[in-house]
Amino acid sequence: MPGPVFAAPYHAKGDPAAAAHTYARFDNPTWQSFESALAELEGGPSAVFASGMAAVTAVFGSWLRPGDRVLIPADCYYTVRSVAREYWSQMGIEPVIVAGDGTRFVGAIRSSPARLVWLETPSNPALQVYDIAAIASAAHDGGALLAVDNTTPTALGQSPLALGADYSVAADTKALAGHSDLLLGHVSARNESLIEPVRAWRTRMGAVPGPFEVWLAHRSLATLALRLDRQCANALSIAQRLSRHPAVASVRYPGLPDDPSHALAAAQMRAFGPIVGFVLTDQASAERFLSRLRLIFEATSFGGVHSTAERRARWGGDAVEPGFIRLSAGIEHARDLVADIEQALAD
Ligand SMILES: *Cc1c(COP(=O)(O)O)cnc(C)c1O
């Protein structure tokens, strides 16, 4: 694997069209090799961005114009909704935030035809699974494009493009890069003509990643399958233990056979992801649990090799109970993780 290429301008003589590279806001050989790996994983041409939000806003920004409507699920990543409310809506774009389940979402697509439909599945932090193929066909019937935030499962765990989506978008900050040491995002598209405006947006708006972050993420792909296997196995062990624990009011993990999303998740995902959501009695019991953990770090974000947990309601913005914990399973030994959780939950 070649090392990272650090350059702002490249040597480029005469007609710029004749030069392989001219200026690093346009392209970079380190991006190109990572993007060709992403293209194989996602099944479509891909563009890397400086962060997950830079990738998200590139899809919105390349397509939405005044008068357009965009449908967004109420349980998607908080910042996607806040950007819709605080920026897109003030530019004459109409964001419609839809609460409920997949059936309600398909109903909203049919009753409010949109330019773009945004989806996140499993949603974060609620871990609700939406039917990508059904939503893609409803979106396409109404002339809309469908973009799926694929951050939680990664391209290895789920293939939105194969299920009919036009775009698969991810915060590679999370499980794809997986070491909690960089921010990065990408957009993959069903074909070249859909990725082209997203690349043009990146070039002109300057939402470009540094070559070193891209190189680190590319190197991390070598262990993605190993990490994800272990993280998902650990998440399942934790979810199983929590679902039998008297101090736990409820647990969500799409890999649990009795989870409401399990049947759909099993049909459309190859791996159920590293995140487990569960509810403790109240804010105080959640805070006590977090402060007692010894192996699992209290931190936001998810998908890293070290297990983390947080009380999600401390941020506001998500419809979660005060005692709701979002836990991200790392690659430690399952027995150690379960033991840490048990001692932190003990009376
Ligand atoms: C973290 C996250 C993002 C944003 O990614 P950043 O790299 O923090 O900008 C977008 N969508 C989901 C689902 C996320 O978890």
Side-chain angles (χ1 to χ4, degrees):
M1 194 180 141
V5 175
F6 296 108
Y10 302 89
H11 293 268
K13 292 180 186 163
D15 181 358
H21 301 285
T22 54
Y23 187 59
R25 186 156 38 74
F26 304 177
D27 61 34
N28 173 294
T30 312
W31 302 354
Q32 289 168 343
S33 47
F34 182 55
E35 286 170 348
S36 63
L38 290 174
E40 288 181 38
L41 279 174
E42 293 273 13
S46 302
V48 65
F49 281 85
S51 68
M53 281 312 300
V56 169
T57 52
V59 173
F60 282 78
S62 347
W63 287 101
L64 298 178
R65 297 294 175 266
D68 285 344
R69 187 183 286 140
V70 55
L71 256 59
I72 301 174
D75 59 349
C76 78
Y77 188 66
Y78 170 70
T79 313
V80 175
R81 286 175 282 130
S82 72
V83 168
R85 259 196 324 271
E86 288 160 39
Y87 293 86
W88 309 130
S89 68
Q90 289 171 39
M91 296 170 167
I93 295 154
E94 187 198 347
V96 178
I97 312 278
V98 185
D101 56 7
T103 310
R104 288 275 294 276
F105 201 65
V106 168
I109 294 172
R110 300 216 190 277
S111 60
S112 317
R115 177 88 208 102
L116 178 69
V117 173
W118 188 259
L119 190 64
E120 182 179 315
T121 180
S123 66
N124 162 36
L127 297 174
Q128 179 171 212
V129 175
Y130 289 85
D131 186 335
I132 296 175
I135 289 167
S137 74
H140 293 155
D141 286 350
L145 292 165
L146 173 66
V148 177
D149 188 329
N150 203 33
T151 298
T152 308
T154 81
L156 216 51
Q158 178 169 272
S159 301
L161 300 179
L163 293 165
D166 300 288
Y167 290 107
S168 174
V169 182
D172 300 332
T173 309
K174 313 289 169 54
L176 190 114
H179 292 69
S180 313
D181 53 5
L182 58 85
L183 271 84
L184 206 66
H186 77 265
V187 177
S188 300
R190 193 161 46 78
N191 58 38
E192 279 298 331
S193 66
L194 288 169
I195 201 71
E196 199 280 323
V198 171
R199 286 218 170 96
W201 174 275
R202 176 181 68 184
T203 301
R204 293 176 195 167
M205 301 299 163
V208 293
F212 191 58
E213 279 78 0
V214 175
W215 181 84
L216 279 172
H218 194 173
R219 193 193 62 155
S220 303
L221 285 184
T223 55
L224 175 59
L226 292 172
R227 285 184 281 112
L228 201 64
D229 274 358
R230 180 67 166 252
Q231 287 175 294
C232 294
N234 282 348
L236 183 60
S237 298
I238 291 167
Q240 283 167 334
R241 179 64 193 102
L242 289 171
S243 62
R244 291 189 305 266
H245 200 289
V248 177
S250 63
V251 183
R252 287 302 303 261
Y253 183 63
L256 274 180
D258 55 357
D259 187 273
S261 285
H262 182 70
L264 184 53
Q268 90 180 2
M269 302 174 76
R270 283 182 299 272
F272 300 113
I275 304 176
V276 179
F278 59 100
V279 178
L280 300 178
T281 315
D282 52 20
Q283 174 171 348
S285 47
E287 284 171 351
R288 193 180 64 140
F289 168 74
L290 292 168
S291 70
R292 283 177 162 194
L293 289 170
R294 292 199 294 253
L295 178 60
I296 300 170
F297 295 100
E298 183 175 352
T300 193
S301 197
F302 60 87
V305 291
H306 299 105
S307 296
T308 58
E310 71 171 333
R311 195 178 71 83
R312 191 63 195 168
R314 67 181 171 148
W315 296 96
D318 289 319
V320 291
E321 292 175 59
F324 177 85
I325 303 279
R326 182 180 69 182
L327 188 149
S328 171
I331 60 168
E332 302 90 340
H333 200 293
R335 201 171 47 217
D336 294 334
L337 292 172
V338 169
D340 195 29
I341 289 166
E342 276 177 350
Q343 67 79 23
L345 285 176
D347 295 329

